[in-house]
Amino acid sequence: MNLAVIKFSSEECGICHKMSFYDQKVAEELGLQFIDVKMQDTATYRKYRKILLTQYPDKSEMGWPTYILCDSPEGEFQIIGEVKGGHPKGEFRNRLQEVLASAANQN
């Protein structure tokens, strides 16, 4: 599996900015690729838009930020789970681990 965490966020989001101090580090510590997608970065957004719209067809239920855990984000992707909103570092790590454990139990 080629698991990645894709962070969908906005440059104007204070919580998104605060989490950027540790979210990539936590993802990488868990052996996950980290992809940062700012909604204002149209080239990067277009590349991963299909993944976001698969999970949120009209974007109405998204959190800021939204982290989508995905297998093979560059190809025939499969969404494993998500973490929405801002969390302290330890809680963010726990939530990612819960998604990973849930995915492992389904296999």
Side-chain angles (χ1 to χ4, degrees):
M1 293 207 315
N2 181 20
L3 292 178
V5 175
I6 306 172
K7 176 184 182 180
F8 291 94
S9 65
S10 170
E11 291 174 1
E12 288 91 40
C13 172
I15 293 170
C16 302
H17 179 69
K18 187 183 281 188
M19 289 192 68
S20 70
F21 289 103
Y22 55 83
D23 55 9
Q24 181 170 356
K25 184 177 181 198
V26 168
E28 290 173 353
E29 286 171 359
L30 295 174
L32 303 167
Q33 177 187 1
F34 186 83
I35 301 167
D36 191 7
V37 179
K38 300 244 185 321
M39 302 302 263
Q40 293 85 350
D41 179 354
T42 53
T44 305
Y45 174 68
R46 276 193 200 113
K47 185 174 180 179
Y48 297 102
R49 183 177 133 201
K50 186 174 181 182
I51 295 170
L52 179 66
L53 295 179
T54 297
Q55 191 76 351
Y56 296 102
D58 63 5
K59 300 185 204 165
S60 67
E61 300 293 318
M62 283 181 67
W64 291 101
T66 291
Y67 298 88
I68 296 180
L69 277 79
C70 185
D71 186 21
S72 303
E74 307 293 333
E76 294 295 317
F77 67 89
Q78 178 183 358
I79 295 173
I80 306 299
E82 68 180 359
V83 175
K84 292 195 298 189
H87 306 284
K89 185 176 182 179
E91 186 177 337
F92 179 64
R93 179 188 318 276
N94 291 342
R95 287 177 181 248
L96 286 178
Q97 288 173 319
E98 287 170 10
V99 172
L100 292 170
S102 175
N105 290 338
Q106 291 176 2
N107 290 337

